[in-house]
Amino acid sequence: MSFLTLTRIQKSFGPVQVVKDFNMAIEKGEFVSFLGPSGCGKTTVLRMIAGFESPSGGAITINGRNQNDLRPNQRNIGMVFQAYALFPNMNVFDNVAFGLKVAGRPKAEIETRVKEMLKLIHLEHLADRFPFQMSGGQQQRVALARALAPKPQVLLLDEPLSALDAKIRVSLREEIRMIQQQLGITTVFVTHDQEEALSISDRIVVMNAGRADQIGSPFDIYNRPATRFVANFVGTLNLIDAKVVDPSANRVSIGDQGVTLREPLGAVKAGDTVSLALRPEAGSIAEGAKGDTALTGTVVSTNFLGSVIRTRMKVGASVISFDMFNAPGLVPPSVGETVTLRFTASDLLVIRD
Ligand code: ATP
């Protein structure tokens, strides 16, 4: 049996159901991210795992034990919140020691454990500082150490990086992942940032309106989105309307250009419209670019994004974005220019939902 299971979890606030039939089985030591837009129920599910909210239906188990009737302090769960929730009147040492003191651990054990935790987050030298004397990133590391000190069986992280600036966010997420792997602690991480979820998770749950739309590895979620919602939410994706020309041969047209898909089209007939997805990085307009499929269009804009240049071209009624890596000597196409994008037919996914 999986270490942390959520079975048919429901949650209503008054007449509004915000979590609907949520199912998830998390293995011991796994790092799982709940990814979704604001209001989709991520935090509510996390709070139910922690025991701060009771499910309206369904069961939560940790290590085979039903948690529904346990109070938060009986669940042995560590939690880090978005806002720096350190005790402002306590120094770093006392903040980290807090859970151990509440649990009545002996003084010598507390001392050893707090030192161990401060070493883990590389802040041994700041044990006497107070929260107001530290940066946001340092405070969140202390919050992490405080959550881990009592050796929780599950670690819950509720958007712990969202208040930090971009550079610190990236380095702290890597640090969190390293510590999580070092300790082998089962972790659930809530975020609305797809790059964050893709970069540090073993698996991602993409949530949409209180439900799990797709559960999979970062690679699967990004490359094989199961629904239009996932395709749209995870990464930048072109959604292209195509007309079915010959379903038995997987033949469609985009504008007036014919394309043969690798994927079967399923139960459709000639003349139906289907949605296709194409990642901006899938194709190239460079001379000699490889690929069994081509679409020709007119450039409508180019955007310089630093390491890539994103160009949009019009093909029939669709606008398709594609990326070029910034390289010395690269001349991006001009607006109004006709370009041909080459890619492999298998990069065109049929979106079914
Ligand atoms: P965010 O990324 O903005 O935190 P979220 O996906 O974590 O969003 P939740 O905080 O779980 O979303 O909220 C889901 C829905 O439940 C929202 O519509 C929210 O307004 C509602 N909600 C959350 N807590 C309560 C509450 N205590 N009473 C009433 N409604 C609530």
Side-chain angles (χ1 to χ4, degrees):
M1 191 188 195
S2 300
F3 191 68
L4 166 60
T5 68
L6 302 159
T7 311
R8 307 208 59 188
I9 297 296
Q10 326 280 337
K11 180 68 186 174
S12 298
F13 291 110
V16 186
Q17 196 178 6
V18 298
V19 177
K20 299 159 197 158
D21 242 350
F22 187 88
N23 294 291
M24 176 87 215
I26 300 175
E27 303 308 320
K28 194 164 172 49
E30 207 179 3
F31 191 114
V32 170
S33 292
F34 291 173
L35 173 67
S38 186
C40 70
K42 309 179 293 289
T43 298
T44 303
V45 176
L46 204 74
R47 288 173 59 80
M48 286 192 279
I49 300 172
F52 299 135
E53 300 284 358
S54 311
S56 317
I60 298 173
T61 68
I62 299 178
N63 206 7
R65 184 171 179 201
N66 191 298
Q67 303 289 302
N68 290 41
D69 297 325
L70 297 181
R71 290 194 299 275
N73 61 354
Q74 296 171 313
R75 295 190 183 196
N76 192 16
I77 282 176
M79 191 149 177
V80 178
F81 302 90
Q82 174 176 350
Y84 319 129
L86 297 178
F87 303 114
N89 56 334
M90 289 184 198
N91 66 17
V92 166
F93 185 97
D94 290 337
N95 262 286
V96 177
F98 182 79
L100 300 164
K101 280 186 184 161
V102 169
R105 307 308 307 165
K107 205 165 170 228
E109 183 192 318
I110 294 177
E111 187 110 345
T112 310
R113 182 70 181 154
V114 172
K115 281 193 178 142
E116 222 174 88
M117 288 294 100
L118 292 182
K119 192 160 176 230
L120 191 69
I121 57 162
H122 308 294
L123 289 183
E124 305 101 301
H125 57 297
L126 297 187
D128 297 328
R129 288 260 184 103
F130 284 85
F132 75 91
Q133 298 169 314
M134 290 189 301
S135 70
Q138 289 170 334
Q139 288 185 53
Q140 279 308 62
R141 279 148 75 194
V142 175
L144 180 66
R146 186 180 62 177
L148 291 170
K151 302 191 178 162
Q153 47 181 354
V154 172
L155 176 66
L156 303 178
L157 305 168
D158 189 1
E159 306 220 23
L161 307 173
S162 58
L164 305 173
D165 71 50
K167 257 214 165 107
I168 303 290
R169 256 198 335 251
V170 172
S171 67
L172 191 53
R173 81 181 183 212
E174 282 162 9
E175 196 171 337
I176 288 175
R177 177 58 160 158
M178 252 159 56
I179 290 173
Q180 182 270 335
Q181 284 178 322
Q182 201 175 324
L183 302 179
I185 185 165
T186 311
T187 300
V188 181
F189 178 83
V190 159
T191 182
H192 57 257
D193 183 324
Q194 45 105 0
E195 186 192 305
E196 220 164 83
L198 290 170
S199 67
I200 57 173
S201 315
D202 291 312
R203 278 191 300 160
I204 297 174
V205 182
V206 184
M207 288 187 65
N208 176 16
R211 282 202 173 84
D213 246 37
Q214 188 172 0
I215 300 175
S217 68
F219 189 85
D220 269 351
I221 295 278
Y222 189 86
N223 289 308
R224 289 187 277 277
T227 66
R228 173 182 281 264
F229 176 84
V230 175
N232 256 327
F233 193 75
V234 181
T236 309
L237 193 87
N238 293 295
L239 280 172
I240 305 165
D241 281 343
K243 256 212 161 46
V244 176
V245 177
D246 179 356
S248 60
N250 301 327
R251 193 89 189 135
V252 299
S253 68
I254 298 171
D256 57 2
Q257 301 174 52
V259 171
T260 302
L261 305 173
R262 287 275 167 82
E263 263 193 87
L265 275 164
V268 291
K269 52 187 189 314
D272 284 354
T273 301
V274 290
S275 289
L276 305 178
L278 182 70
R279 295 272 174 213
E281 66 272 25
S284 169
I285 60 163
E287 214 161 291
K290 293 205 169 54
D292 53 18
T293 306
L295 285 171
T296 297
T298 310
V299 173
V300 289
S301 67
T302 55
N303 256 321
F304 180 65
L305 303 176
S307 59
V308 297
I309 293 164
R310 178 155 299 164
T311 301
R312 297 165 79 235
M313 70 169 184
K314 202 158 184 337
V315 180
S318 300
V319 173
I320 299 175
S321 296
F322 59 89
D323 291 344
M324 286 175 280
F325 277 111
N326 190 7
L330 177 79
V331 182
S334 318
V335 171
E337 200 177 319
T338 300
V339 291
T340 296
L341 182 70
R342 291 199 173 277
F343 52 93
T344 307
S346 56
D347 287 327
L348 269 176
L349 305 175
V350 181
I351 299 291
R352 307 160 207 281
D353 47 354

